Amino acid sequence: MKEHLIVLDLDGTLLTDEQKISALTKETLMKAKAAGHHVMIATGRPYRASQIYYEELGLITPIVNFNGAFVHHPRNAQWKSIHTPVDIRVVHDVVESIHKYEYNNLIAEVIDDVYIHREDEAMLNIFNMGSPHVRMGDLKTTLLEDPTSLLIQANDANVPIIRQHLQDVHAELIEHRRWGAPYPIIEIVRKGLSKAVGIDQIAKEMGIPRERIIAFGDEDNDLEMIEYAGIGVAMSNGIDQLKNIANEITLSNNEDGVAKLLQERLKL
């Protein structure tokens, strides 16, 4: 069988609800690699929060972090990384414009530097993975460079209201996505970015056509990736919008959905 590129979202897809890679899924991915297929991660997380899984799987491929805003190769310093941050002036405009809406916090990230608008122990615990440099305080004074991403934490009722505002006022300059559990968070990156953009670059460099890309996802930040891949797979725990455009729907992240699909498709 010709080599395929297997692309994995992390939360709600590769990882169980306990944030683990199950034994069967790990075994199946190792078999896929041994059979000559390539395995890579495409996630909204920064690298510091995805490195543990990259290393657990023994990956030797580039990785897409921040939903396409940072594409790099952890094992090859010669590989040209692509960092596409949001213009800081746009971020300050967004921050200023959402003050009229109810939100809990704002978090900006510049690769491994984290800026938290309001002091919040729960947010600090979430973003402390990988020991980043963390600064607390008003983003208008603490954030002095273009961020990789901006996160808006709000309650479930206000997330769609804020997203509609972002679409109405800032759509020409930013992309916005909603995180899944455990917190309702809107993630903002530069306009035109998505996981698919990074995957396309990596696949072309590897010489793997779209029809031999198998991508797995569950949330709205996976929409472009699932549509781009020759075989776009939605997890059964995924959102309906993703299932509607997927080529396949597999079992949930807690039922070895990734492993079951790969076993069937790649005869593992």
Side-chain angles (χ1 to χ4, degrees):
M1 183 177 290
K2 291 182 178 179
E3 62 183 1
H4 283 64
L5 176 60
I6 300 163
V7 186
L8 305 164
D9 168 55
L10 290 178
D11 299 284
T13 301
L14 173 67
L15 307 181
T16 65
D17 290 349
E18 287 73 44
Q19 303 289 290
K20 304 287 186 184
I21 303 174
S22 74
L24 178 60
T25 294
K26 182 176 180 179
E27 178 188 353
T28 303
L29 290 169
M30 293 303 184
K31 285 181 179 178
K33 288 169 59 185
H37 304 297
H38 304 278
V39 177
M40 66 168 283
I41 291 170
T43 177
R45 293 187 183 210
Y47 180 63
R48 66 179 185 277
S50 45
Q51 181 177 6
I52 182 174
Y53 307 112
Y54 184 94
E55 293 180 348
E56 181 179 353
L57 294 174
L59 300 185
I60 54 172
T61 46
I63 183 171
V64 175
N65 289 116
F66 292 106
N67 288 324
F70 187 39
V71 184
H72 60 112
H73 198 317
R75 299 196 191 277
N76 184 357
Q78 304 304 311
W79 201 87
K80 187 176 180 180
S81 300
I82 301 175
H83 180 218
T84 315
V86 190
D87 189 305
I88 191 169
R89 293 168 296 182
V90 174
V91 171
H92 286 163
D93 285 347
V94 169
V95 171
E96 189 66 35
S97 74
I98 66 165
H99 278 320
K100 58 188 172 185
Y101 300 99
E102 288 186 36
Y103 66 89
N104 299 334
N105 216 333
L106 302 169
I107 303 97
E109 297 187 74
V110 184
I111 304 294
D112 286 325
D113 291 339
V114 178
Y115 299 81
I116 301 178
H117 189 65
R118 295 171 179 165
E119 192 162 341
D120 184 332
E121 198 64 33
M123 284 296 104
L124 184 58
N125 290 336
I126 290 174
F127 291 93
N128 213 27
M129 188 174 185
S131 302
H133 178 258
V134 179
R135 292 193 65 183
M136 296 273 193
D138 192 323
L139 292 185
K140 288 183 289 184
T141 56
T142 60
L143 182 64
L144 302 176
E145 60 182 307
D146 297 347
T148 312
S149 70
L150 173 70
L151 307 175
I152 303 170
Q153 181 201 6
N155 63 36
D156 278 313
N158 285 322
V159 163
I161 297 170
I162 294 172
R163 288 194 70 182
Q164 187 60 55
H165 163 77
L166 294 174
Q167 191 63 29
D168 292 342
V169 179
H170 303 285
E172 292 183 1
L173 298 170
I174 62 170
E175 303 285 354
H176 54 94
R177 296 284 184 259
R178 187 193 191 284
W179 280 17
Y183 294 98
I185 285 179
I186 303 163
E187 179 170 17
I188 293 170
V189 293
R190 188 166 167 174
K191 182 69 177 179
L193 293 180
S194 69
K195 293 180 181 182
V197 173
I199 296 163
D200 181 61
Q201 179 203 355
I202 293 166
K204 284 176 177 173
E205 188 170 295
M206 289 181 169
I208 298 177
R210 288 172 62 174
E211 60 265 24
R212 295 210 305 271
I213 298 174
I214 307 175
F216 296 84
D218 71 309
E219 274 287 348
D220 75 347
N221 65 341
D222 298 312
L223 285 166
E224 294 91 347
M225 174 177 79
I226 296 305
E227 192 168 38
Y228 168 82
I231 305 168
V233 185
M235 311 301 289
S236 66
N237 53 286
I239 61 172
D240 289 340
Q241 189 181 0
L242 195 72
K243 293 177 185 176
N244 289 339
I245 66 168
N247 302 105
E248 303 256 6
I249 299 174
T250 190
L251 298 176
S252 77
N253 61 316
N254 293 319
E255 300 171 300
D256 292 303
V258 169
K260 298 295 172 61
L261 189 287
L262 290 177
Q263 287 171 351
E264 294 170 6
R265 278 281 181 169
L266 302 180
K267 313 300 182 192
L268 299 173

